[in-house]
Structure formats: C-alpha cells, structure tokens
C-alpha cells in the first residue's frame, strides 16, 4: 500500500496515575524488518506495544501504523496487526482447532476451514487438533499462539516476550519462523530479555524507565556505547569479580567459568585496575557484549531518573 | 505446626485486606441488608388495601368501614357504588380485598334476617390474606351488634347479625404451590442468568484472555451480545422446563395467554443478563462479581413479594422493591398465570422491565471498553 515505514510513531507518551510509563518514545520500523525491543522489567515495553496495537490510547504523541493514523484509525489498525500477549491468551477450555476457528471468524476470514487446516499442518498439530489448548506444554502453547496471531496474515506482528520459559530448540525454531515471516514482508516488533535473540534482530531498540536510550544494529549499539572490555584467564580468575568490581575504572566484572570479563568506559583506567593481577592471569582485549552494554545503559538511565525526580 | 498455621492465617488476612471492594461488601452489605430486612419484612401484613362496593346506600356502610379500619388489617381505599367495580379493582391489583354490600342489606339486617356480606380476596398469595380474612367476620359483626341495640336489636343476641361469605379469588383452595411455583421460576431464572453473566467479563480479565480479545477487531457491543446469546438460550430452556413442571406436576392453572407469559419471561431473562453483564464490567475480580450477584439475589427473594407479602412491607421498602426486576416479573407471572391478565393489563409491568433493560444495556456498553486499564 504505502512505501513508508510500517510503524512510525513520534513522541509516544503514556501516563498511569501520575507516573510516566512511556516517555516521548520515537520508533520507526521499515517494512519487513525485525526490531528487537529490549529493556529491564517494567521499562514500558509492554505498554509501548499496547499503544501501537490500539489497546491503549496514548496521552501524547502521534504516528502512523501502516499509513493509518494511530489515534483515529485504531480499529482498522487492529485488523492488520497480530499481537501475541506475554501470557497465553487463547482459551484453555477450547480445543486447538476451536481456538483457531474462533480467531478466523473474529477476523472475518474466508476459506476458514482451509486456513485452519493449513495452520495446523504447519504447526504439526493435525493429529492433536482436538486436544484442549490448556493441556499443551509451554513450547506448544507458544507455537499455537503464534499460529493464531498470523492466521489473518497481518502485516505487522507484535510479540511480547514470546519465548519466555521456552526450551532452546523451540526458541530456535520460533526464530526461524519469525525470519521466514519477515522475508515474506511481515514487520516484526519483538520484546525480549535474551541477548542471543536480540542479535538475531535486524535492529535493536533499548528502552529503560519509559525512555528510548539507543537504536541500531547490534554492532552499532555496541560501538556506540563507548565500552571497553578485558578478559582475564587462569585458575581462580573468576573468584576476583567482587574484588575488582569496586576499583576505579571498572564498571562491571563478570565471571564466566574460569575467565573474568571486566569492562569500563576508559581503556587506560581499566588496564590500570587489573595491573596487580597481571602476573597471575593472562589478560587480553575483548569485545563488550550486548549484555554489558545494556547493563551499563540501565545503570546510567537509573541514575539520571533519580536525579531528574526531586 | 502452630507456626505454619499462623503463617497461613496471616497470608490469608493480608490477601483479604488487599481486596478493598470485597472487604467493604463483606462488612457493609450484611449491615445494610440486616437493617432493610429487619424493618421491612412482616409476616402478618396490616393496612392492606380494601374497597367497599356499597350497593345499598345506608348508614351501616359507615359502621362496616370503621369496623374494618379498627382491625388495622385494612386500609379502606375506595368506596364504589356500581356493581362489578370492586371486582375490577382486584383484577388490576389495586386492592387486595373487596367487601360487597348487597342491595337489600340494611332492610334484611334490621329484620334480623342475617343478610350476606360478600368478602372477595385476591388469594394469589394465600399467606398474605389468611390473618386478615379471619379478622373480618368478628370485626364486622361486633361493630354491627353495637348499632343494633334498642328497637333494632330483634334477633337472638348471641348470633352474628350478618353472614360473612368469603371468596378467595384466583386460588380458591389457597394452594401454596400456585404462588410458589411461578415465583420459583423467577428465582431460578435470575439466579442462573445474573450469576453466570456477572462472571463473564471478569473471568476473561483474570485468565488473561481479555487482552487477546481486545487486540482483535471485536467491538464491545459484539462481545456483549456474543457472551449473552448462549445464556439467553439456556434461559429459554429453563423457562420451558419450569412452565412444564408448573402445569404438569403442580397443576398451576394457566388462565392467561401462554404467549404473553413466554414474552414476559423472555424480557425478564434479557434484563437479568444485562444486569449480570453490567455487574461484570464493574467488578474487579470474580469474587466481587459473585458477591454482588448474591447480594442482588437476597432482596430479590425477600422483598419482591415472593417469600413475604409485598403489602406487608412499609412504604419505603415497597419503593425499594420497585427497583428490583423480580418484583415486576413476579406480578406479571402471577397476573398472567393466576389472574388471567391480557396484554393491556400486563403492559405497565412489561414496560418497566423494558425500561430497565434499556438502562442496563446502555450502562454495560459504556462501562465495557475496548482498551485495557
């Protein structure tokens, strides 16, 4: 339809009883892109998703979703969005088939039987279609929920922590499917806490305390952070974490098995800090991880917000 | 063990104290209900509306009226003079008793011929009329005996001057089932309809399926209608079962048109469903919805005229009962089943129910929003 971005919102703001949960958030996602939405718990990710799919009315801001006005065309936007809630939102006391048929009817789809059959086949659930949805395991529930979300072939998919509590293999399959859908032109905005998932996104948006802090590809985000890292290897290196973390120039010291990963914003201070253990362990330059970057940003954001509020 | 039980007790108390709505209801509702029912309910109703049809214009009419008044059982609302008028007042439910004074009453009375005095009672609710009826004979006779002294006192002094003839209309044998069975139909319907729908929305919110529903193109009105229709069908089945039982097992007479009965019941089912849905949109959780439903049911049973005579209640309680859909439905059921009401007699009560339906639907649709929080 339109050549513009699938999602383009500006200055999105939502206030719940005096507390600004989403603060002036801009978000622009081109069609066919997968955008990873990250941030600590309670940072406003779910609220932002709800604002975009019309479940909440923003208190400020404007924008277009698929070229439709976010404020005026809520109902038309709903028809073209698939939203997968954090909690399993299908009916546990309906069978798998009944759930899908319900969704098909609600969206007024033609060839209902065909579509539901196709979805069941894709899921590999044809033989269990008469089983109650509530009886499914976590991984299957998640797959069913995704199937229900995309049944009406939405142009935008909003996923709210879709893989929480799902085993690695199911997660891998889930992400393969997301990429397949994106190739077909679907725009995906997915919130997650998993760094490996963030790295599978075309773009990352990091939000903390309602404020969007950074956007870009995973590499860009790491480069922009200005963080430097060292890793020390040797027997007992991991035990040093607590000792080193307090030192000037060391922002984080994280043990990984027998190695210790330290990072800070000033490379010289960082090197000076590990000087006393130069002989005992082998130190080398390392890449800061996305996790380092996010924890670093979260700490700073928190400081800011504390100062801002009198 | 005691420590563990104590842990459980404190946990439970904390949880209860967090749910302000339920807590308020648990303390406030009993007090309110206690006050209302304590003062409103009266098993020996007095000041019942009565009309005197005086076909014989004599001084004895006044004696009879004041004798009736002195019993405190009756409030003489009207004195009518044309034959058949009293009967009509009973049919419309304006009065509960009519005392008919026959044309030659005073002549026969003075001659000591023990004239008949006809007392017609609306016996659709036998318990409401029993005590009052037994008070009539003694009151009228002793009142008249007072008048019949001197030259007029010709009859034997011990015998009663008049012969009281009692007609229990609509339920001549005073069969309790005739009154109870239509009432039970009303209770079954409102119990199941209100309770089930009151949980309808809160359940979806608690289970987390509401968020999913709201993200779809479903509109509030569509959700409401979709949730109500299945229970409407269940209500219709309940109605036919109850009507069949009334006719076949309890032999309740169906004197009015059955179609009118069905129509009234359909309206009542719709009102109950709309009320349940409204409760559902206001309650924070299923527990609160249950509480409100139960607290609606109690006055519906006690104040509507089902369990206790409506006219036995003080006026303020009668006004309160007018708000309850059950009160109006009960009048309709008794009116149509036992009194043989036709459409024009039933229309006022049906109108009230339809108005309630309209108001509740507007409130429910307004309250139910397609956004969360």
């Amino acid at each position: 339809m339109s050549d513009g971005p699938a999602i383009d919102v500006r200055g999105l703001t939502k206030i719940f009883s005096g507390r600004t949960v989403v603060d002036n958030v801009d978000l622009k996602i081109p069609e066919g892109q997968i955008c990873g939405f990250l941030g600590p718990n309670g940072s406003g990710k779910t609220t932002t998703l709800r604002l975009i799919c019309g479940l909440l009315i923003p208190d400020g801001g404007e924008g277009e979703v698929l070229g439709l006005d976010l404020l005026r065309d809520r109902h038309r936007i709903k028809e073209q969005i698939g939203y997968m809630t954090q909690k399993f939102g299908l009916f546990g006391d309906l069978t798998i088939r009944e759930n899908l048929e319900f969704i098909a009817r609600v969206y007024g789809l033609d060839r209902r039987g065909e579509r539901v059959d196709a979805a069941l086949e894709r899921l590999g659930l044809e033989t269990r279609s008469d089983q109650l949805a509530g009886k499914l395991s976590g991984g299957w529930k998640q797959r069913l929920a995704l199937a229900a979300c995309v049944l009406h072939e939405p142009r935008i998919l909003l996923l709210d922590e879709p893989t929480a509590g799902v085993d690695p293999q199911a997660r891998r399959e889930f992400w393969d499917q997301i990429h397949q859908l994106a190739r077909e032109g679907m725009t995906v905005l997915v919130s997650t806490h998993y760094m490996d998932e963030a790295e599978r996104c075309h773009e990352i948006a990091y939000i903390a305390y309602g404020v969007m802090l950074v956007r870009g590809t995973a590499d860009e985000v790491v480069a922009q952070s200005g963080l430097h890292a060292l890793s020390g290897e040797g027997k007992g290196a991991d035990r040093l974490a607590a000792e080193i973390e307090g030192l000037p120039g060391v922002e984080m010291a994280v043990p990984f098995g027998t190695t210790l990963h330290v990072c800070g914003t000033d490379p010289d201070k960082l090197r000076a800090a590990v000087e006393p253990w130069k002989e005992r362990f082998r130190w080398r330059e390392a890449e800061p991880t996305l996790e380092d970057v996010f924890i670093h940003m979260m700490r700073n954001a928190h400081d800011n917000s504390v100062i801002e509020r009198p | 063990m005691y420590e563990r039980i104590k842990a459980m007790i404190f946990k439970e108390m904390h949880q209860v104290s967090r749910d302000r709505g339920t807590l308020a209801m648990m303390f406030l509702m009993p007090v309110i209900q206690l006050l209302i029912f304590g003062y409103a309910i009266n098993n020996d109703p007095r000041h019942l509306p009565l009309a005197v049809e005086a076909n014989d214009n004599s001084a004895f009419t006044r004696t009879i009226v004041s004798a009736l008044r002195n019993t405190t059982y009756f409030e003489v609302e009207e004195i009518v003079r044309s034959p058949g008028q009293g009967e009509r007042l009973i049919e419309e439910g304006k009065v509960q008793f009519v005392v008919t004074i026959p044309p030659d009453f005073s002549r026969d009375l003075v001659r000591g011929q023990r004239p008949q005095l006809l007392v017609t009672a609306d016996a659709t609710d036998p318990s409401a009329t029993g005590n009052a009826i037994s008070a009539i004979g003694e009151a009228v006779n002793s009142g008249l005996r007072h008048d019949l002294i001197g030259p007029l006192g010709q009859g034997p002094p011990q015998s009663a001057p008049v012969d009281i003839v009692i007609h229990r209309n609509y339920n001549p044998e005073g069969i309790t089932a005739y009154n109870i069975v239509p009432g039970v139909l009303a209770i079954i319907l409102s119990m199941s309809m209100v309770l089930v729908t009151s949980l309808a929305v809160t359940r979806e919110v608690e289970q987390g399926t509401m968020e999913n529903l709201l993200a779809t193109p479903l509109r509030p009105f569509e959700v409401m209608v979709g949730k109500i229709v299945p229970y409407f069908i269940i209500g219709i089945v309940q109605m036919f079962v109850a009507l069949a039982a009334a006719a076949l097992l309890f032999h309740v007479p169906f004197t009015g048109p059955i179609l009118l009965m069905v129509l009234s019941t359909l309206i009542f089912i719709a009102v109950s469903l709309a009320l349940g849905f409204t409760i559902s949109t206001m309650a924070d959780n299923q527990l609160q919805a249950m509480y409100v439903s139960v607290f609606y049911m109690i006055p519906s049973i006690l104040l509507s005229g089902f369990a206790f005579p409506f006219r036995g209640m003080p006026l303020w309680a009668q006004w309160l009962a007018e708000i309850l859909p059950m009160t109006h439905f009960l009048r309709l059921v008794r009116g149509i089943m036992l009194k043989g009401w036709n459409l024009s007699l039933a229309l006022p009560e049906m109108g009230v129910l339809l108005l309630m339906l309209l108001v509740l639907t507007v409130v429910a649709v307004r309250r139910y929003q397609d956004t969360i929080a």
Side-chain angles (χ1 to χ4, degrees):
Chain A
M1 242 189 324
S2 61
D3 293 329
I7 296 175
D8 184 5
V9 293
R10 299 167 296 277
L12 219 51
T13 300
K14 183 71 193 175
I15 301 165
F16 285 131
S17 51
R19 213 166 61 86
T20 308
V21 180
V22 173
D23 194 356
N24 208 17
V25 164
D26 298 340
L27 197 61
K28 195 187 237 178
I29 307 174
E31 225 164 311
Q33 290 273 302
I34 302 172
C35 178
F37 205 22
L38 290 102
N41 292 326
S43 57
K45 296 191 299 288
T46 299
T47 307
T48 308
L49 292 179
R50 286 174 174 173
L51 286 169
I52 292 171
C53 70
L55 274 177
L56 288 173
I57 316 262
D59 294 313
E62 50 169 16
E64 293 84 41
V65 175
L66 298 169
L68 297 164
D69 189 277
L70 185 63
L71 300 172
R72 271 180 292 121
D73 299 320
R74 266 188 328 126
H75 294 294
R76 287 181 60 200
I77 291 174
K78 277 184 183 178
E79 286 166 16
Q80 303 189 58
I81 280 190
Y83 173 48
M84 185 169 155
T85 51
Q86 203 168 338
K87 202 173 155 192
F88 182 63
L90 293 173
F91 304 96
D93 45 5
L94 291 188
T95 66
I96 294 165
R97 178 182 289 279
E98 285 164 348
N99 266 300
L100 291 173
E101 275 171 355
F102 169 73
I103 297 292
R105 269 181 212 275
V106 163
Y107 284 96
L109 301 182
D110 57 350
R111 302 180 285 113
R112 273 202 307 272
E114 237 174 89
R115 284 176 199 261
V116 170
D117 285 339
L120 286 170
E121 202 187 313
R122 236 178 296 129
L123 276 169
L125 281 174
E126 310 109 296
T127 52
R128 295 161 72 188
S129 65
D130 290 329
Q131 197 178 326
L132 294 182
K135 295 265 189 284
L136 288 171
S137 69
W140 281 106
K141 272 187 186 164
Q142 173 244 29
R143 291 167 76 168
L144 175 60
L146 180 66
C149 276
V150 299
L151 196 63
H152 64 291
E153 294 167 5
R155 294 175 60 201
I156 293 179
L157 196 52
L158 303 179
L159 307 168
D160 196 0
E161 295 186 23
T163 55
V166 171
D167 70 53
Q169 197 202 332
R171 263 173 61 194
R172 168 84 44 99
E173 284 171 12
F174 184 83
W175 274 90
D176 289 344
Q177 217 181 332
I178 299 293
H179 273 273
Q180 175 60 36
L181 291 167
R183 271 197 297 279
E184 289 163 14
M186 207 179 281
T187 310
V188 183
L189 178 57
V190 50
S191 76
T192 178
H193 285 301
Y194 297 112
M195 293 307 136
D196 59 318
E197 291 187 352
E199 279 160 0
R200 294 195 67 172
C201 296
H202 296 126
E203 201 187 23
I204 297 167
Y206 188 85
I207 183 173
Y209 309 102
V211 182
M212 179 84 76
L213 295 178
V214 68
R215 284 190 48 205
T217 63
D219 290 340
E220 282 167 9
V221 167
V222 173
Q224 274 173 33
S225 69
L227 272 184
H228 298 270
L230 293 171
S231 83
E233 219 180 298
K235 203 167 185 305
D238 52 301
R239 307 273 164 88
L240 278 179
E243 221 171 314
I244 285 190
E245 198 164 46
L247 298 175
V250 180
E251 204 166 317
M252 285 170 269
V254 193
F256 284 98
T258 55
T259 64
L260 184 70
H261 183 81
V262 292
C263 49
T265 44
D266 186 334
D268 298 328
K269 274 193 189 166
L270 195 62
R271 263 190 296 276
V274 300
E275 197 66 34
W277 295 278
K278 207 177 171 185
E279 308 299 310
R280 281 177 63 195
F281 309 119
R282 261 184 315 116
W283 295 94
R284 56 180 181 79
E285 296 274 332
E287 269 296 293
T289 63
L290 260 184
E291 195 169 283
D292 296 335
V293 175
F294 290 141
I295 291 171
H296 165 70
M297 277 192 293
M298 193 179 110
R299 286 184 180 167
N300 291 344
H302 195 230
D303 288 345
N304 290 346
S305 67
V306 169
I307 294 162
E308 268 170 33
R309 278 166 206 153
Chain B
M1 183 185 76
Y2 291 120
E3 207 44 49
R4 291 196 296 268
I5 291 177
K6 242 162 79 185
M8 226 22 230
I9 292 172
F10 283 129
K11 181 217 95 168
E12 211 62 30
M13 272 162 54
H14 280 132
Q15 286 180 316
V16 171
S17 69
R18 293 288 185 282
D19 188 354
R20 291 292 161 87
T22 306
L23 202 62
M25 273 187 271
M26 285 170 92
F27 285 106
L28 265 175
M29 288 292 196
V31 174
I32 295 172
Q33 302 225 328
L34 212 64
L35 288 176
I36 292 179
F37 301 139
Y39 286 110
I41 291 169
N42 179 3
N43 243 336
D44 183 21
R46 284 163 193 267
H47 306 288
L48 298 168
L50 175 145
V52 174
E53 187 181 304
N55 296 315
D56 170 25
N57 204 355
S58 80
F60 293 115
T61 305
R62 210 178 315 130
T63 307
I64 291 170
V65 167
S66 70
L68 290 170
R69 247 186 214 134
N70 286 341
T71 62
T72 71
Y73 274 111
F74 307 102
E75 208 61 66
V76 181
E77 304 269 318
E78 251 178 291
I79 297 176
V80 295
R81 304 206 183 264
S82 55
Q85 214 173 333
E87 196 82 10
R88 207 166 319 124
L89 288 170
I90 282 208
E91 193 186 359
E92 289 168 3
K94 293 215 171 92
V95 298
Q96 200 155 2
F97 300 91
V98 171
V99 172
T100 310
I101 301 171
D104 297 325
F105 180 79
S106 39
R107 192 195 65 203
D108 292 351
L109 182 67
V110 173
R111 284 185 189 163
Q113 285 175 342
R114 288 199 74 202
Q116 287 193 334
L117 192 66
L118 178 65
V119 176
T120 315
D122 177 348
T124 44
D125 182 357
S127 71
T129 46
N131 286 353
I133 284 177
S134 53
I136 288 184
E138 180 52 36
V140 170
N141 275 324
S142 72
L144 288 173
R145 217 178 279 133
H146 226 269
D147 281 4
L148 297 172
I149 40 168
L152 294 176
Q154 288 176 1
Q158 289 306 312
S159 71
V162 293
D163 179 17
I164 309 273
V165 179
I166 291 164
H167 277 187
R168 289 184 177 85
N169 270 20
Y170 314 121
N171 188 359
E173 289 130 278
I175 297 172
T176 321
Y178 286 6
N179 180 48
I180 296 294
V181 172
V184 169
L185 165 68
I187 286 181
I188 290 171
L189 283 175
S190 58
M191 188 86 112
S192 46
M193 298 294 104
V194 173
L195 201 62
V196 169
T197 40
S198 72
L199 300 176
V201 172
T202 39
R203 187 175 50 227
E204 299 251 10
V205 172
E206 272 182 32
Q207 289 180 350
T209 49
M210 186 52 86
E211 190 178 355
N212 218 15
L213 279 186
L214 293 174
T216 69
L218 273 168
R219 304 289 177 95
F221 182 72
E222 296 164 355
V223 173
M224 186 174 160
V225 171
K227 275 194 170 286
I228 279 180
V229 166
Y231 300 116
F232 196 76
I233 295 169
I234 293 172
I236 291 173
V237 174
Q238 286 183 334
M239 167 182 76
F240 282 117
V241 169
L243 290 183
L248 302 174
L249 298 180
F250 298 100
H251 309 290
V252 178
F254 281 78
T255 46
I258 183 86
L259 206 65
L260 191 62
M261 180 67 211
V262 170
L263 185 66
S264 310
T265 312
L266 292 182
I267 296 173
F268 180 66
I269 293 173
V271 172
S272 301
L273 289 172
L275 178 69
F277 199 90
T278 308
I279 293 173
S280 196
T281 59
M282 293 181 177
D284 292 338
N285 52 48
Q286 292 192 59
L287 188 64
Q288 278 185 20
M290 283 269 280
Y291 245 100
V292 175
S293 304
V294 170
F295 279 125
Y296 160 75
M297 283 312 300
I298 297 172
S300 287
I301 293 169
L302 297 183
L303 297 186
S304 65
F306 169 70
F308 301 99
F310 186 85
R311 288 196 168 108
M313 302 190 299
L315 215 55
W316 59 265
Q318 293 190 16
W319 278 108
L320 201 66
E322 295 284 344
I323 306 170
L324 299 167
M326 180 92 127
T327 307
H328 301 277
F329 181 59
L330 213 55
R331 282 182 201 153
L332 277 169
V333 174
R334 287 175 180 170
I336 297 167
M337 273 179 143
L338 303 177
K339 292 181 172 184
W341 275 8
N342 53 23
L343 184 63
S344 65
L345 280 167
L347 216 50
E349 302 293 343
M350 285 168 98
V352 175
L353 285 180
L354 283 172
L355 185 73
M356 287 177 173
L357 179 62
L358 182 73
V359 171
L360 286 169
T361 306
V362 170
V363 172
V365 171
R366 288 221 168 166
R367 294 270 329 172
Y368 179 79
Q369 292 175 345
D370 60 346
T371 53
I372 30 182

